[in-house]
Amino acid sequence: MRRLLLTRLLWAIPVVAVVVIVNFLLTRLVPGDPLVAIVGEYPVTPEYLAEIRHNLQLDQPLAIQLVSYLWAVMRGDLGFSFVNQQTVLSLVLQRAQASLLLLGPALLLATIVGLLFARISIARRGSGRVLLSAIVLFGFSVPVFWLGQMLIVLFAVKLHWLPAQGMASMRGVHGALATGWDFFLHWIMPGFTVGVFHVAVIARVAQASLRDAMSQDFVITARAKGISERAIFWRHILPNALLPVITVIGYNFGAALTGTIMVESVFAWPGLGTLLLNSITNRDYPVVQGIFLLSGSIIVLVNIATDLIYGFIDPRIRSGYSGGR
Amino acid sequence: MAWISGGFVVLLCMVAVLAPLLLSPDAPFQISNSVLLAPSAGHWFGTDDLGRDVLLQVIWGTRISLIVGIVSALAAGIIGLVVGAISGYCGGLADAMIMRTTEIFQVMPIFVLAALIVAMAGAGETRIIAVIAGLSWPQTARVVRSEVLRIKGLGYAEAARCLGISEFRILVFEIIPNAVGPVIAVSTLTAAFAILLEAALSFFGLTSSDTISWGSTLSTGQRLLYTAWWLSVFPGTLIFLTALAFNMFGDCVREALDPRSE
Amino acid sequence: MTTETQPARPLLDVRSASISFKQQHGAMVHAVRSVSFAVGAGETVALVGESGSGKSSLARLVLCLTRPDSGEIHLAGERIDHLSNRELRTRRLLMQPVFQDASAAFNPRRTVMQSLEQALRCSATPPVDMRPAVEELLEQVRLFPASRLLNRFSHELSGGQRQRLGIARALAVNPRLIVADEPLSGADVSIRGQILDLLIEIQESRGIAYLFITHDMTLARAFAHRVLVMYKGEIVEQGTTEQIFAEPKNEYTKILVKAAASIDDVAA
Amino acid sequence: MADILTLDHLRVAFDVQGHRVDAVSDASIRVPDGGSVGLVGESGSGKSTLARTLMGLLTTPPAVLEAKSFAVEGQSLQIGDHAAISRLRGNTFAMVFQDPLSYLNPLMRVGRQIEEAVRLHDGRAAVHHRISELLDLVHLPQRVARSYPHELSGGMRQRALLAIALACRPRLLLADEPTTALDVTTQMEILALLRELRRELGMALLLISHDLVSVAELCDEVYVMYGGRTIEHGPCREIFRSPSHAYTKSLLDAARAQRSGRKVLETRPGALSVGG
């Protein structure tokens, strides 16, 4: 297990390094002065420009620039957003919280719903399969930002059931319970929109893995022992079927985060996505880069966590067993 | 299923090809005073805030969406095929390096990266195609690699080696023809992904304002969501249906190839 | 131990060949350890061992599908293990494989005709007129009627027919040695007998040598002149079939021989 | 001696898209109480389907089951009555299988897997004692209880499966190719263990195998199955000495390897000169 953790952490280094280097190269490859990319079109004092030029050693060769950029990133200095009057790091971290607040519950619910759909589709063969492939195709094909729009038109504009935008009501509410309820109401539509893709992903994999686990030989052993079907499902089938599902959650976390980023701007959810859209409009490039760097790092972390969870559940991975007899 | 989805894609292709022949290139850009009209007999899909006809825009937008989808899927397919074949057949250091690269691609937030590149380097159809293809080939490469690895160990590939047939000929004539099915399946999925990605980029206002695509109309729709639902409904539905058709087609290919399905 | 009983210049001579593989998690598996043996012209040598004993790795080594980490492989008096693939091309035709899994042994996109044509084209003297040459091959392996099978795909044939087709492909280039890896393990009892008969017949008419890889001691006894017993990557005993069965020396061989005891011994 | 199991004229068909495919077309079998019976046949002869049917492990549909009579311990049962069979399963009969690795849950410690079976029959207090007793019975060291299946060798896994099967003190053990996936050395150990267990526990054994030798070593009676039918049966010795059915003969020929090989060896002049 230690070894697994170590190899995964070692693997993360080049990935994050690539993200950082891509970030660096992009600034330098933009036609014109990299300062334009760093400061944007925000009117700043020439003194400040000179300071940046000196700090990032923009008058030095590219290799030295890269080193100083890496050094800056390692210190947590991702630049300053003039539009928001805040350092990029604190801005991005702050917005990431809102994004995760949207994504986390959505992922959890989507996983459960996806598993349920998979179970149903296996239980009722013909109609279940049709239902499942409809869900899967819908989830993979629907543009999430458009789905969000349609939900707003229907539930907020026409029916007035749910709030259309933001994470909390403007007028403010009092009391923990009321705040929670208010958040929940705001969360429903974006949460659903984010979750749709994920339900499709989970349902597809879970169906295959459940079916696979059910046809495994050890199920026959369990049945031959004489234990109940319920116990067979919970103790033998489900744990084995969950392994591929866990992998796919980790593997698709990037897509889920991307989906969140796309959905947020539709619902004006104050997370990374809205920030991304605003920053692009305002040519606030350091923020865009910061979002890229942060989301890349989050995805890497989630991938490592997935592998560890997998190793925790599966003793074969834990002991480095490679299969075969 | 295969016929419906395939037919829909063919229909769209025809629209994309015929549109410039039947319409004057200015038509979708024609500004008029009839601003934000709801769908009616005169304007089936309504008009936008500049009085442009949404139907014409949607027809015109088919070209961009399809070109981006198909061309980037093709490009990604070809890159993936070559890279995957090299990786799977040569093995060793080349394989290790390629696999590490695709692993890194897998954890990249592709949309954010694409948005970043397009925002900083400037928009344009070719650039968007290049970015999408450049970011989505690893999928294909992985599929090709695993197919090549599988087939390489099969009797007929080894028998060919024992007959003294050159490695290159074995790869081209024995292995790749048998690996093509999964590549097609994954490529149609890439096409759907590319169409959605292009739509997302234009939705975020990252494509240049003088091209019309489904995503860009949708982007206008977002601004006017409360007043003009038709600006969102029609182009969005088309993006959805097109992606659906590609995904369905990909599923059909995959199912036809899956020996367990029959 | 058997050097003096072997022919002066064996067809295949494997000298202390070893190969090991690295497993996924870094552990090394020594699949073949310093193995030496020879196969003479026209001789049948059975390589007996259980799954995991390294006999399939050894077969791939002999066929130069993998190269040994150390040791030498000589074919018809020439060292081949260090040759490049290009140099190997003509030498390879001297020995041909017959695989265990007949269903994967043929390219699913080729017909019987196309598969055999491909093999014939590789031979030292490719026939000018393909069709009669292919038909002749099919008749040699008792696949009748040849003309009706030509346009079939391999998956349209029965298991036994496919295995015959595999033998036909091997014969197409006139090899002097056939390396057969468990060619009968998937076949029914009745078909086994037929294919064994066919292999023996071919040996008699063409003087081909066999390296016959099997886990089944009874088959080795029925078919081979000499037996090599492989256990955990090493050849633990080799000798003539009579020797091995009459007085096995190695403990493991004894167990194998005992396990392969004839039904009469047990039922008596 | 009463029969612990009688089955007459079993037919098992599978519905494959409207077509009925017979896996077993007509099979009859009897296992005397405390006796040992072998069932031989090649893969595809229907012998494994027969075993699964007896254990009530086939799902219906797609399987369609028919039998003239079916009785366990003299008590008549409906062949498709899974509820009744599942009550017997684990009590009256237990089963061990071919590939011991795949028949064990990879995520669960061996001890837990044995425990699951033990709990159904023994009180909470006795569970641990019983587990260690079972491990002793199959000659496994106690530490195996804390191991995962992948940490064991093939032979140990088969012993673990046997421990699970024996947890409920079955009167009949169905062994479906219990040694096929194992090394020759391990095969012999497992066969010896089966013989020992039968002697100690006095349970009946139905050994399903394609290997005539192990059937001959372990069983008193043998049934030969071919193309979904039991075509011949009788005491091992008689059948092996004078088979009446042509198929049984060819099976025996193959086991003796006397079909073509020896004959050819004799008729090939100089064939041995190279080696000898």
Side-chain angles (χ1 to χ4, degrees), chain A residues 125 216-229 231 235-237 239-240 243 313-319 321 324-325, chain D residues 52 55 57 61 86 89-90 93 95 97 99 101-108 112-113 116-117 120-121 148 150-151 157 161 164 181:
Chain A
R125 290 185 187 151
Q216 292 282 313
D217 293 334
F218 56 75
V219 176
I220 294 179
T221 311
R223 214 161 266 157
K225 278 179 205 172
I227 60 176
S228 70
E229 286 296 317
R235 275 187 236 152
H236 295 275
I237 295 175
N240 278 282
L243 291 177
I313 297 183
D314 192 339
R316 290 166 295 185
I317 302 288
R318 208 153 57 217
S319 62
Y321 174 76
R325 291 203 188 108
Chain D
R52 300 262 152 110
M55 288 295 283
L57 294 173
S86 72
R89 199 159 60 193
F93 43 74
M95 192 165 179
F97 308 90
D99 174 15
L101 179 57
S102 71
Y103 280 92
L104 287 165
N105 185 344
L107 308 184
M108 211 186 252
R112 273 281 286 139
Q113 301 194 43
E116 267 193 337
L120 292 175
H121 306 276
Y148 286 100
H150 73 269
E151 294 165 340
R157 288 173 196 148
L161 269 181
I164 292 174

Side-chain angles (χ1 to χ4, degrees), chain C:
Chain C
M1 131 188 144
T2 48
T3 36
E4 67 268 55
T5 61
Q6 276 169 2
R9 201 171 164 225
L11 182 58
L12 174 73
D13 192 3
V14 176
R15 297 180 194 164
S16 50
S18 302
I19 190 163
S20 44
F21 301 104
K22 203 170 175 185
Q23 272 189 328
Q24 249 177 354
H25 293 274
M28 294 295 278
V29 178
H30 300 278
V32 176
R33 300 186 214 202
S34 189
V35 161
S36 301
F37 67 94
V39 179
E43 184 190 26
T44 300
V45 175
L47 179 63
V48 184
E50 296 171 67
S51 61
S53 64
K55 56 191 198 314
S56 284
S57 302
L58 185 54
R60 292 175 53 81
L61 217 56
V62 166
L63 288 165
C64 279
L65 289 170
T66 44
R67 305 302 173 104
D69 295 339
S70 64
E72 298 176 7
I73 294 166
H74 294 250
L75 184 67
E78 190 181 10
R79 186 173 170 191
I80 56 165
D81 57 87
H82 63 291
L83 294 180
S84 72
N85 275 330
R86 189 180 292 271
E87 290 169 313
L88 257 178
R89 263 186 225 170
T90 50
R91 278 91 168 176
R92 273 206 157 124
L93 298 181
L94 287 174
M95 62 183 172
Q96 285 297 304
V98 171
F99 294 106
Q100 170 179 11
D101 182 7
S103 60
F106 287 91
N107 190 332
R109 289 171 186 275
R110 287 181 204 266
T111 60
V112 168
M113 174 79 191
Q114 287 164 340
S115 288
L116 291 182
E117 216 181 313
Q118 180 197 31
L120 280 167
R121 229 177 245 127
C122 294
S123 69
T125 50
V128 187
D129 208 352
M130 280 296 172
R131 203 182 152 102
V134 169
E135 285 182 0
E136 197 195 318
L137 269 178
L138 289 176
E139 269 156 33
Q140 273 188 31
V141 296
R142 307 275 177 273
L143 276 174
F144 302 115
S147 55
R148 270 176 58 194
L149 291 168
L150 286 180
N151 292 320
R152 299 245 185 114
F153 289 94
S154 71
H155 57 84
E156 296 169 333
L157 305 178
S158 71
Q161 284 177 320
R162 245 181 268 150
Q163 203 52 276
R164 284 160 194 273
L165 192 61
I167 296 170
R169 174 171 57 194
L171 293 179
V173 294
N174 266 318
R176 294 179 61 198
L177 170 70
I178 284 184
V179 180
D181 189 358
E182 301 269 11
L184 303 178
S185 64
D188 275 351
V189 173
S190 52
I191 293 168
R192 275 184 192 208
Q194 292 169 12
I195 291 180
L196 267 188
D197 285 344
L198 176 68
L199 287 173
I200 290 169
E201 199 183 306
I202 289 167
Q203 184 165 56
E204 281 168 351
S205 62
R206 293 195 176 211
I208 284 181
Y210 292 121
L211 179 59
F212 191 85
I213 294 156
T214 180
H215 67 282
D216 189 346
M217 260 318 225
T218 49
L219 270 181
R221 177 155 68 178
F223 186 51
H225 302 134
R226 285 196 300 125
V227 175
L228 314 171
V229 179
M230 198 156 181
Y231 182 64
K232 289 192 174 164
E234 287 178 83
I235 290 187
V236 291
E237 186 163 1
Q238 52 179 310
T240 63
T241 311
E242 273 70 15
Q243 275 173 12
I244 294 279
F245 278 88
E247 38 182 324
K249 293 188 180 65
N250 182 279
E251 281 308 309
Y252 179 69
T253 317
K254 281 180 192 162
I255 294 172
L256 280 186
V257 169
K258 196 178 156 218
S262 158
I263 196 80
D264 302 309
D265 308 343
V266 186

